[in-house]
């Protein structure tokens, strides 16, 4: 299947984020372990266990509440669509500012074992921090979408198809004849034919 966009022959440059992400994750894990060992040395192992268990419970509660709120927003939207109503003037602003995705991310960060992830999760629970983070993420996504070349999805499909193990791309053209069909003459080839593939 061809998409009309020829594959790029220029070598792809690796982004900075993909280069430094493994290093950042490794540094974050080392820092989390070091902080947990400091707290365990100062306050004891039971305190660390209580902090980790409290983070898991609080994260589960936050994710559950955000999921319920997202489901309620979805149900309200469907109900308004069925009744052919326009949403209330402040409803769109309230739904946009609620940040259910970022609230779920905050709950997930709270559930991860570690003190830094708990602090990041607690910060994301604050509405001003959540709104600022949402604006930054939306701006970053808009810039990436604007910078994407035309036909990049087709190029990605063609690249995936070429690199598929044992996948063969056959260049071809489909010719569709929508004219009137000629009646077929009865003969040996007009009967039922089983499919070729099993």
């Amino acid at each position: 299947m061809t998409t009309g966009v020829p594959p790029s022959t220029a070598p792809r440059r690796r982004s900075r984020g993909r280069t430094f992400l493994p290093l950042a994750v490794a540094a974050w894990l080392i820092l989390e372990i070091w902080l947990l060992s400091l707290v365990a040395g100062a306050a004891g192992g039971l305190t660390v266990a209580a902090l980790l268990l409290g983070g898991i419970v609080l994260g589960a509660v936050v994710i559950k509440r955000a999921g319920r709120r997202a489901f309620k927003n979805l149900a309200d939207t469907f109900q308004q669509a069925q009744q052919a109503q326009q949403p209330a003037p402040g409803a769109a602003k309230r739904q946009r500012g609620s940040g259910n995705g970022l609230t779920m991310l905050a709950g997930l960060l709270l559930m991860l074992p570690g003190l830094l992830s708990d602090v990041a999760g607690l910060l994301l629970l604050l509405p001003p921090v959540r709104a600022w983070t949402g604006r930054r993420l939306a701006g970053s996504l808009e810039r990436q979408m604007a910078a994407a070349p035309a036909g990049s999805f087709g190029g990605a499909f063609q690249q995936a198809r070429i690199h598929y193990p044992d996948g063969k791309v056959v260049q071809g053209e489909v010719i569709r004849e929508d004219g009137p069909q000629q009646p077929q003459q009865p003969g040996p080839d007009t009967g039922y034919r089983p499919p070729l593939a099993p």
Side-chain angles (χ1 to χ4, degrees):
M1 170 180 220
T2 60
T3 58
V5 178
S8 175
T9 57
R12 290 179 47 158
R13 207 186 86 173
R14 194 171 174 154
S15 69
R16 271 190 271 161
R18 291 179 84 188
T19 302
F20 292 115
L21 184 65
L23 294 174
V25 169
W28 172 71
L29 288 174
I30 290 169
L31 191 58
E32 289 279 20
I33 292 169
W34 179 69
L35 284 173
L36 286 174
S37 65
L38 281 179
V39 172
L46 286 177
T47 305
V48 171
L51 283 173
L52 295 177
L53 185 63
I56 290 171
V57 170
L58 182 61
V61 168
V62 167
I63 288 176
K64 187 175 181 181
R65 286 189 67 209
R68 283 185 179 168
R69 190 168 51 226
F71 185 75
K72 182 183 178 303
N73 289 343
L74 182 66
D76 290 347
T77 303
F78 279 137
Q79 186 178 17
Q80 288 172 356
Q82 281 182 340
Q83 297 172 356
Q85 293 178 351
Q86 292 295 327
K93 190 174 182 181
R94 277 196 308 270
Q95 286 180 0
R96 196 180 322 127
S98 64
N100 289 324
L102 290 175
T103 305
M104 287 185 184
L105 177 63
L108 183 65
L109 286 171
L110 284 169
M111 290 179 78
L112 287 175
L115 298 177
L116 289 178
S117 61
D118 289 348
V119 169
L122 288 173
L123 284 175
L124 267 179
L125 287 178
L126 300 174
V129 175
R130 195 170 50 237
W132 178 81
T133 305
R135 283 192 307 270
R136 296 283 301 213
L137 288 175
S140 173
L141 182 64
E142 286 175 7
R143 281 191 303 274
Q144 286 181 359
M145 293 292 282
S152 60
F153 179 76
F157 177 79
Q158 192 170 17
Q159 290 294 324
R161 191 68 182 113
I162 288 171
H163 294 294
Y164 185 78
D166 294 286
K168 294 182 177 137
V169 178
V170 178
Q171 299 287 339
E173 188 175 317
V174 175
I175 300 174
R176 183 174 174 176
E177 296 178 11
D178 289 335
Q181 296 287 329
Q182 298 293 330
Q184 293 184 353
Q185 300 296 326
D189 292 342
T190 58
Y192 170 76
R193 293 186 204 171
L196 296 176

